[in-house]
Amino acid sequence: MKKTVNQKAWFMVLPVLLLVAFSAVIPLMTVVNYSVQDTFGNNEFFWVGLEWFEEIIQSERMHDALIRQILFSSIILIIEIPLGIFIALHMPKKNSLWTSLCLVLIALPLLIPWNVVGTIWQIFSRIDIGLLGYSLDAIGVDYNYTQNAVDAWITIIIMDVWHWTSLVVLLCYAGLQSIPDAYYQAAKIDQASRWNTFRYIELPKMKGVLLIAILLRFMDSFMIYTEPFVVTGGGPGNATTFLSIDLVKMAIGQFDLGPAAAFSLIYFLVILLISWVFYTAMIHTDEENQS
Amino acid sequence: MSLQLENVSLTVNGQPHIHPSHLNLAAGSMNVLLGPTLSGKTSLMRLMAGLDMPSTGKILWRGDDVTGVKVQKRDIAMVYQQFINYPSMTVFENIASPLRLRKKPESEIITAVKKTADLLKLGAFLQKKPLELSGGQQQRCALARALVKQSGLVLLDEPLANLDYKLREELRTEIPKMFADSGAVFVYATTEPEEALLLGGNTVTLWQGAITQFDTSTRVYHRPKNLVTANVFSSPPMNFLDAEKEGLLISLGENSYNPLDPGHIKLTAGVYRVGFRPNHLMLEPKNSESLRFSTILKSTEITGSETFLHLQHQQQHWVSLLHGIHHLTPGVSIDVFVDPAHLYFFDAMGQTAALATYTQSLKSV
Amino acid sequence: MAKITLSNLAHSYTTNPVSDQDFALKTLNHEWDDGAAYALLGPSGCGKSTLLNIISGLLTPSQGRILFDDQDVTNYDTATRNIAQVFQFPVVYDTMTVAENLSFPLKNRKLPADYVNQRVRDIAEMIGIESLLNHRARGLTADTQQKISLGRGMVREDVNAILFDEPLTVIDPQMKWQLRSQLKALHSQLGHTMIYVTHDQTEALTFADKVVVMSDGEVVQIGTPQELFEKPAHTFVGYFIGSPGMNILPADIVGNTAMICGQKVPLDASYRALNGELALGIRPEFITLTNNPDDLPVTVLSIEDIGRHKIIRTDFFGNELNIVSAQDHDIQEDMKFVTFDRRRINIYENDWLVTP
């Protein structure tokens, strides 16, 4: 609907624009700048065109990290989304003290800083002093996340599930709360099974928040850095070296600024691309439903 | 004239929401916007209020062009279908809020709020929060806030739609009285024809974003200019059938007759759509000219004072509204009668070709 | 289909009800005949929704029993009671087509596919949505969606009762006429026991064989529309039914004469000696405005032409007196008197109807 025309409102956005320019646009352009140049120190740069991009795209190291990353994000989504929905469905529906308690408990992991989460799990899983690692060893499970790649992966995935499933639960819970009681009553009267109630009432009504949950969890897990860095440092070997960890190694460890810049731009584009595919796919199915 | 719309239209994303419209609303008048859902009542109100900018045309307030002037800078009060009050404030503070915004002295506020509250029977609830009140009282509180503002333009968008039937009846008679002395322009949107007649004043009938007629309510009711208006302003809906005039003879369903009525004699030969209201479809002929139609009775509804017959006449669904109680068995075929004086003739374009002749004898219109 | 018996039923939302005030629904005994159409009518907060929820099984009453065909179902849940319900707002399964919506209750009960298809087609035809069967339910207008809800309520043949909770709230007035008559026709075709909750007297009176009028958690009268209109058992019924409601005038009754504000009004019959607050009730429809000085004098305040009839509002010695007169009734300046249709006068003692 056409509103009263008043262009003055644009001035209100000006501070934000300036802030974004300093915090995002200028750094991004610096990265672009690095990605097309080489340096041998002394602040002297040479134009190398797309050489770094070619190198990165062809490098096996990048391929491995990308595959690891995609595998990680897929596992995370496959576990966290259904688990989040499942927990949300079993939350108490009526508002009571019990509901508030559940919500607080669920939200708790979200309030802990990333590096603390990492540290907690790092200690928790140690086989000498950690409760989890020690107990597992005591009952005869051959578990050691510092040496066994599979153990390292399991540890990091469980940690992420523990940390972030709450977000999915909270979003789904909000979606479920918005369903009027009449729908559940109608389903009971129609003798819909539990599964049908979920399939035809709860899932369609949760769709909007689920889309947000999937996008958020995908982007976050695709950029995961702090927790695996603290727990495994990318190891054993390169087993948990995800894209961001690899990037930091390249940029700060080896100080290869050019390739690292090219790497980060490709990284950025991959995230953008996958998010866009997710988004349009889900919006598309939504529109199909409407027509 | 107080509020004038000149050639005002609203187009959103290429879709016409309001067709170019002219309207002059006088100070101190009650104007009902009547039309079904999505006919453009709310869109038109938003244009009047300045919440939306018209695509074309001008809006004049007391002669000044106010097109594009923001709603905050205009002298407007609005009441919605939902009961909108400030939930954390008491009823007193709710009613006082427009005056506080204008920084009126405290003593003046207290007097004005008390007076308005008494008028709306809210005197006993001034210290309560809106959510502690019943629906009717909450809407009274919203009305009081609109009233205390003493605005020149008061817009009421289906204010009684969420209330119980009996409460609606009470407030409906009270609203015109409440605002009568203020001299403001009132605009009241409703979907119910009877409400328009009960409120009195003028009626603007709306259909698919276009104003189909504007006049005093009783005139619009009895003298519709076109088929759409007649149908919008009829509850139960009007009954229709096709007619043809050849020479002097009018054939109407199974009837052919020579009209006695000058209006009907003057009609040119051709095809017409004929409409008549349910209360004019009777079980007994009113006079010798009455036309007889044979119909099948689908169902009856008895309200105690009235009986509604749902009838099938050829392919048409008709309703007959009878006084008193008539016990009839559904499924039987029965004969019903209409006095030709109650027939409206509409031409192929849907314009009124001949008004029902009974309207000539009505003094009030 | 079943007869529904309410036995000594009452409900309170507080855990330890003490006084009458604590009960949202006061003690009630009633039998709902098999296959009849009932309406529960009353203002909001009168307890009608509480009663409906008790019948549907969404609420367990604090006291008493509810029986379907002499079987105690008080502790059965909604699904076991085998009832259908239509809600105030359309409840449709968005992602399903119209046909899938209609067949859902049948498929869940594992009925044969041939039967389901036939039944869905029949119901769709009855409510006039057969052309939309393959259309997705989402995006349809509110009244079409409500038709789907109605259809889903009626699709099962074996239900004990169909309950309607203000089902026409979201429907345009013009459409209401159509849906209401359809509902009525469906009742006569299907023969289910139907209970319809509403605050709208027109809906209640036109739909039901018998109307249950409720006020303050209590049933004040159960009767046919005609009985409620002609012989309201309580002044509340007189006021609530009819538009405008019944005129209630404080009166003294001596034998076969009523004295109202010093005016004598002859009655049709003689009454026993009455005490308490006495009043005379007369419907606006049964008062005629005349120019005969022998009749009762009134001051005409306003004449409202509402199309199908006129409402004349008058003042009768400080009492509001409304008159309904035919549209073609020519009202003259000198008509300042009224006469009551003697046979239509009701006498009330402490708000309850008394018989001669």
Side-chain angles (χ1 to χ4, degrees):
Chain A
M1 220 163 270
K2 198 169 165 186
K3 299 276 152 62
T4 318
V5 182
N6 187 339
Q7 304 289 356
K8 268 183 273 181
W10 288 108
F11 287 107
M12 311 286 255
V13 199
L14 204 61
V16 179
L17 277 180
L18 285 174
L19 203 70
V20 170
F22 276 103
S23 67
V25 180
I26 294 173
L28 184 69
M29 293 323 290
T30 317
V31 173
V32 172
N33 198 23
Y34 280 137
S35 73
V36 291
Q37 301 190 62
D38 195 7
T39 178
F40 299 108
N42 298 337
N43 243 358
E44 288 171 40
F45 291 89
F46 310 93
W47 172 259
V48 292
L50 297 176
E51 213 172 282
W52 296 134
F53 287 91
E54 282 164 29
E55 193 185 307
I56 291 294
I57 285 169
Q58 284 161 10
S59 94
E60 209 156 297
R61 177 177 164 184
M62 163 86 176
H63 290 171
D64 290 351
L66 183 65
I67 289 168
R68 249 175 255 135
Q69 188 69 70
I70 290 172
L71 187 65
F72 178 73
S73 288
S74 313
I75 294 174
I76 289 297
L77 286 183
I78 287 169
I79 298 176
E80 287 182 9
I81 299 295
L83 184 63
I85 294 173
F86 182 81
I87 297 175
L89 287 177
H90 290 83
M91 293 271 291
K93 284 203 182 69
K94 292 269 147 47
N95 267 326
S96 65
L97 198 66
W98 176 226
T99 323
S100 319
L101 193 72
C102 282
L103 284 174
V104 170
L105 280 176
I106 293 276
L108 219 50
L110 296 174
L111 304 174
I112 305 172
W114 288 257
N115 55 344
V116 177
V117 171
T119 315
I120 292 172
W121 280 82
Q122 201 255 341
I123 297 171
F124 187 50
S125 313
R126 277 174 66 164
I127 50 171
D128 48 353
I129 54 166
L131 184 63
L132 177 71
Y134 188 84
S135 316
L136 282 175
D137 256 23
I139 57 169
V141 181
D142 183 18
Y143 169 87
N144 186 343
Y145 72 91
T146 55
Q147 281 168 21
N148 185 324
V150 177
D151 290 356
W153 268 76
I154 291 173
T155 311
I156 288 177
I157 286 168
I158 292 177
M159 174 183 68
D160 196 89
V161 168
W162 175 82
H163 192 184
W164 286 114
T165 306
S166 309
L167 180 76
V168 184
V169 175
L170 292 183
L171 284 170
C172 290
Y173 183 70
L176 287 173
Q177 286 298 96
S178 68
I179 303 174
D181 270 350
Y183 278 84
Y184 291 107
Q185 293 170 17
K188 266 190 217 162
I189 288 166
D190 292 341
Q191 282 196 3
S193 59
R194 183 70 195 86
W195 164 251
N196 275 345
T197 308
F198 172 71
R199 167 76 184 75
Y200 295 111
I201 295 174
E202 290 166 331
L203 195 60
K205 299 272 171 198
M206 269 197 297
K207 209 166 176 183
V209 288
L210 267 184
L211 171 70
I212 295 168
I214 291 175
L215 263 179
L216 281 178
R217 281 316 299 133
F218 166 72
M219 288 194 294
D220 257 6
S221 66
F222 211 77
M223 296 187 292
I224 191 166
Y225 174 75
T226 319
E227 299 98 315
F229 179 76
V230 174
V231 178
T232 64
N238 274 336
T240 56
T241 302
F242 300 119
L243 283 173
S244 57
I245 295 182
D246 206 17
L247 177 63
V248 173
K249 274 186 190 165
M250 195 183 283
I252 308 206
Q254 299 153 239
F255 225 72
D256 285 336
L257 283 188
F263 191 144
S264 53
L265 283 176
I266 293 170
Y267 193 1
F268 171 65
L269 289 177
V270 168
I271 292 182
L272 206 62
L273 180 78
I274 300 181
S275 300
W276 180 77
V277 169
F278 261 120
Y279 188 75
T280 41
M282 295 187 83
I283 290 291
H284 188 68
T285 52
D286 210 41
E287 276 170 0
E288 228 170 41
N289 275 332
Q290 272 178 2
S291 61
Chain B
M1 286 300 162
S2 240
L3 180 73
Q4 279 172 274
L5 305 190
E6 288 185 357
N7 198 33
V8 165
S9 76
L10 179 70
T11 309
V12 181
N13 302 329
Q15 298 276 339
H17 281 212
I18 296 291
H19 293 284
S21 306
H22 297 269
L23 210 53
N24 288 333
L25 306 181
S29 67
M30 166 61 86
N31 305 281
V32 179
L33 302 181
L34 176 69
T37 319
L38 299 177
S39 60
K41 301 186 299 293
T42 304
S43 299
L44 198 59
M45 264 194 182
R46 291 179 61 91
L47 290 171
M48 289 175 180
L51 287 163
D52 293 322
M53 177 84 179
S55 308
T56 65
K58 279 198 292 187
I59 297 170
L60 303 176
W61 177 244
R62 292 182 181 149
D64 301 329
D65 189 345
V66 293
T67 325
V69 174
K70 273 189 290 184
V71 64
Q72 294 93 324
K73 296 200 175 156
R74 292 168 58 178
D75 181 23
I76 285 165
M78 199 154 176
V79 177
Y80 303 86
Q81 181 178 345
Q82 295 81 13
F83 317 137
I84 297 176
N85 294 300
Y86 300 107
S88 61
M89 292 186 190
T90 60
V91 170
F92 181 94
E93 285 305 318
N94 262 288
I95 303 175
S97 58
L99 303 176
R100 295 232 189 272
L101 278 176
R102 291 188 196 162
K103 309 223 176 350
K104 298 271 181 189
E106 190 63 27
S107 58
E108 198 179 308
I109 291 180
I110 293 174
T111 339
V113 171
K114 287 248 166 82
K115 193 177 144 221
T116 316
D118 286 343
L119 191 63
L120 281 155
K121 298 173 191 158
L122 284 169
F125 310 107
L126 283 175
Q127 295 315 317
K128 293 210 172 183
K129 299 274 169 69
L131 290 178
E132 297 171 57
L133 305 179
S134 70
Q137 290 160 345
Q138 288 184 40
Q139 192 65 320
R140 280 170 200 269
C141 180
L143 283 165
R145 226 177 41 241
L147 187 60
V148 83
K149 217 175 156 186
Q150 302 269 346
S151 299
L153 176 61
V154 180
L155 303 170
L156 306 154
D157 192 359
E158 299 193 43
L160 307 182
N162 284 2
L163 293 175
D164 273 7
Y165 192 87
K166 271 285 157 178
L167 272 174
R168 216 182 282 179
E169 215 173 270
E170 264 170 43
L171 274 175
R172 195 188 282 144
T173 51
E174 282 172 28
I175 285 177
K177 286 185 211 155
M178 281 188 271
F179 290 98
D181 303 328
S182 69
V185 177
F186 293 98
V187 183
Y188 185 113
T190 182
T191 55
E192 293 186 30
E194 203 168 295
E195 193 153 89
L197 287 165
L198 280 165
L199 286 166
N202 306 317
T203 292
V204 180
T205 44
L206 281 163
W207 178 253
Q208 294 180 347
I211 293 177
T212 62
Q213 193 166 349
F214 171 55
D215 209 326
T216 61
S217 299
T218 39
R219 274 186 75 91
V220 179
Y221 180 83
H222 289 294
R223 301 170 163 260
K225 281 187 179 156
N226 41 52
L227 187 147
V228 168
T229 306
N231 198 36
V232 165
F233 212 152
S234 187
S235 177
M238 213 175 217
N239 300 314
F240 291 105
L241 79 164
D242 290 320
E244 198 174 352
K245 190 174 184 200
E246 281 172 287
L248 261 185
L249 198 71
I250 294 178
S251 38
L252 193 64
E254 58 262 55
N255 293 280
S256 290
Y257 71 104
N258 282 309
L260 300 173
D261 220 301
H264 296 178
I265 294 172
K266 266 189 277 170
L267 284 172
T268 52
V271 183
Y272 293 93
R273 190 112 177 106
V274 165
F276 54 92
R277 291 215 157 80
N279 50 318
H280 293 144
L281 185 59
M282 305 185 227
L283 286 178
E284 305 289 335
K286 192 182 169 197
N287 47 35
S288 56
E289 286 113 66
S290 289
L291 305 171
R292 190 179 65 164
F293 297 98
S294 76
T295 63
I296 297 164
L297 180 65
K298 304 298 277 187
S299 63
T300 57
E301 299 175 319
I302 296 171
T303 70
S305 57
E306 290 166 333
T307 305
F308 300 112
L309 307 179
H310 291 266
L311 305 160
Q312 175 101 26
H313 177 257
Q314 291 158 5
Q315 292 310 307
Q316 309 276 353
H317 174 232
W318 283 357
V319 179
S320 162
L321 191 165
L322 306 167
H323 283 281
I325 289 162
H326 302 260
H327 288 289
L328 296 161
T329 325
V332 299
S333 60
I334 56 168
D335 288 345
V336 283
F337 300 87
V338 187
D339 179 356
H342 290 139
L343 301 177
Y344 292 87
F345 282 78
F346 305 102
D347 64 19
M349 305 298 292
Q351 298 301 310
T352 305
L355 280 173
T357 30
Y358 82 93
T359 55
Q360 289 165 3
S361 63
L362 294 173
K363 271 184 290 185
S364 54
V365 295
Chain C
M1 280 175 268
K3 178 182 80 184
I4 300 172
T5 312
L6 310 177
S7 160
N8 199 26
L9 202 70
H11 189 73
S12 167
Y13 289 100
T14 54
T15 33
N16 284 311
V18 200
S19 72
D20 242 19
Q21 288 298 314
D22 295 337
F23 281 91
L25 185 67
K26 287 165 194 152
T27 312
L28 172 65
N29 285 291
H30 184 58
E31 229 172 66
W32 311 79
D33 292 337
D34 189 2
Y38 289 93
L40 286 176
L41 175 68
S44 55
C46 71
K48 59 189 192 294
S49 296
T50 306
L51 181 53
L52 191 78
N53 287 340
I54 290 174
I55 298 172
S56 73
L58 295 165
L59 207 61
T60 312
S62 353
Q63 173 197 314
R65 294 186 309 152
I66 168 163
L67 302 111
F68 284 5
D69 274 344
D70 302 322
Q71 187 190 7
D72 190 337
V73 297
T74 317
N75 296 313
Y76 286 13
D77 67 6
T78 306
T80 326
R81 290 189 188 190
N82 201 17
I83 46 118
Q85 187 162 357
V86 180
F87 299 87
Q88 191 168 5
F89 297 97
V91 174
V92 295
Y93 303 106
D94 286 347
T95 53
M96 297 187 193
T97 62
V98 174
E100 285 167 341
N101 259 286
L102 293 180
S103 64
F104 194 59
L106 302 178
K107 281 192 180 147
N108 286 331
R109 287 173 175 78
K110 310 248 174 334
L111 293 165
D114 289 349
Y115 169 77
V116 172
N117 290 336
Q118 189 54 45
R119 185 73 185 156
V120 166
R121 265 202 302 278
D122 290 351
I123 290 288
E125 201 178 315
M126 279 186 215
I127 51 179
I129 53 170
E130 63 268 42
S131 61
L132 292 171
L133 277 177
N134 294 315
H135 201 286
R136 224 170 255 282
R138 187 193 305 206
L140 295 173
T141 56
D143 48 71
T144 314
Q145 290 200 344
Q146 192 63 325
K147 279 188 184 178
I148 300 172
S149 308
L150 289 173
R152 238 189 24 254
M154 313 215 174
V155 76
R156 281 158 54 208
E157 284 177 284
D158 63 338
V159 287
N160 283 321
I162 305 178
L163 312 180
F164 300 90
D165 191 358
E166 312 206 4
L168 301 183
T169 306
V170 294
I171 310 295
D172 257 3
Q174 300 268 328
M175 205 47 139
K176 267 184 196 168
W177 284 94
Q178 200 198 332
L179 271 181
R180 228 175 49 209
S181 64
Q182 259 175 9
L183 215 54
K184 182 106 177 167
L186 284 169
H187 177 253
S188 57
Q189 279 177 43
L190 299 170
H192 289 304
T193 309
M194 293 189 179
I195 301 173
Y196 188 113
V197 166
T198 180
H199 64 81
D200 186 318
Q201 46 154 325
T202 315
E203 278 177 37
L205 296 169
T206 52
F207 173 78
D209 304 328
K210 277 204 170 163
V211 180
V212 180
V213 185
M214 294 184 69
S215 165
D216 268 341
E218 226 174 331
V219 172
V220 255
Q221 188 174 3
I222 300 172
T224 63
Q226 188 174 356
E227 285 162 4
L228 297 180
F229 186 77
E230 290 174 357
K231 291 270 166 211
H234 190 274
T235 50
F236 174 80
V237 180
Y239 149 82
F240 201 76
I241 289 186
S243 176
M246 184 181 252
N247 298 297
I248 309 279
L249 306 165
D252 277 326
I253 313 293
V254 183
N256 60 358
T257 314
M259 290 291 289
I260 315 169
C261 308
Q263 302 289 314
K264 271 190 188 171
V265 178
L267 302 174
D268 217 24
S270 251
Y271 286 82
R272 63 181 162 84
L274 300 165
N275 346 314
E277 297 234 355
L278 302 182
L280 177 149
I282 177 99
R283 292 265 178 209
E285 286 82 356
F286 304 132
I287 306 178
T288 318
L289 197 63
T290 69
N291 51 7
N292 180 356
D294 295 339
D295 292 334
L296 305 164
V298 293
T299 315
V300 175
L301 300 174
S302 69
I303 301 169
E304 295 165 17
D305 177 358
I306 67 156
R308 60 179 199 252
H309 53 238
K310 287 176 183 153
I311 298 175
I312 306 158
R313 299 189 192 275
T314 67
D315 180 89
F316 177 66
F317 295 101
N319 296 300
E320 189 187 331
L321 192 73
N322 297 316
I323 305 164
V324 166
S325 94
Q327 195 205 350
D328 47 13
H329 182 209
D330 198 12
I331 294 159
Q332 308 288 339
E333 281 289 312
D334 62 347
M335 291 190 168
K336 291 176 190 164
F337 304 92
V338 291
T339 108
F340 297 166
D341 181 346
R342 210 189 284 187
R343 292 161 304 147
R344 306 294 194 171
I345 293 175
N346 294 311
I347 301 298
Y348 295 89
E349 181 184 31
N350 294 327
D351 288 329
W352 291 95
L353 182 71
V354 284
T355 43

